[in-house]
Amino acid sequence: MISLPAALDARMQREAGLTFFEYMVLSVLSEQPARTLQMSTLAARTAASLSRLSHVVGRLEKRALIARTRIPGTGRRTNATLTEAGYEVVVAAAPGHVAAVREYLIDELGPQELAALRRIGAAVDTAVKREQADAGSAPPPPQGAAGTHATRGRTAD
């Protein structure tokens, strides 16, 4: 599973001139009403930090594939909208992406393996969503607290 995203990214860059993440951003927007989403929602849908998304959207904006507009009112809210040029790019890139996923993954698996992959994917998705829900309701542990990654498995002297 580590090599698949890198292979998809390399192929997408070679064939469509986009990173895999740029393609995902364009793809998510292409499926929305008015091809528009608030940046924070787009970040969540692409599993990216707002900072990473903002950087990538900035690059796509320079290529006239996305336009950003401030949402009126209080706060710093911004919409990202897929332009017509962006829509054309994602539509042109989609068949290559589907072919790559089929070639690298789907066509290599038999029916029982695909069924197992679906079950595994659903179990992982459930675990991730449960952790996200738990993390959203509990305050983050203090820095250096026992049980955090930095101190896990260590004992005090």
Side-chain angles (χ1 to χ4, degrees):
M1 293 311 298
I2 299 294
S3 61
L4 181 59
L8 291 171
D9 186 68
R11 188 154 165 178
M12 182 63 64
Q13 287 186 52
R14 188 174 58 249
E15 293 180 359
L18 297 168
T19 66
F20 181 66
F21 183 66
E22 289 170 339
Y23 172 77
M24 291 302 299
V25 168
L26 298 176
S27 178
V28 168
L29 286 172
S30 75
E31 298 170 348
Q32 303 309 307
R35 299 179 188 151
T36 299
L37 273 178
Q38 189 170 329
M39 289 284 287
S40 58
T41 303
L42 183 56
R45 298 243 178 111
T46 58
S49 68
L50 200 48
S51 175
R52 177 182 185 206
L53 178 66
S54 183
H55 178 73
V56 169
V57 167
R59 284 197 323 254
L60 294 169
E61 197 171 30
K62 286 178 184 173
R63 294 171 59 187
L65 303 179
I66 290 180
R68 282 189 277 198
T69 54
R70 188 178 179 288
I71 299 171
T74 60
R76 294 178 48 195
R77 298 173 304 140
T78 303
N79 277 335
T81 301
L82 186 65
T83 65
E84 191 59 37
Y87 184 74
E88 290 172 10
V89 165
V90 74
V91 166
H97 172 65
V98 170
V101 171
R102 288 194 66 84
E103 180 183 329
Y104 297 152
L105 183 65
I106 304 302
D107 293 346
E108 295 297 317
L109 303 177
Q112 290 179 330
E113 292 166 317
L114 285 171
L117 182 60
R118 277 191 287 279
R119 288 191 305 274
I120 292 165
V124 169
D125 186 53
T126 297
V128 167
K129 287 178 179 171
R130 180 175 50 247
E131 194 280 331
Q132 289 172 338
D134 291 347
S137 63
Q143 292 254 339
T148 63
H149 180 67
T151 60
R152 188 172 290 135
R154 296 183 189 163
T155 57
D157 292 339

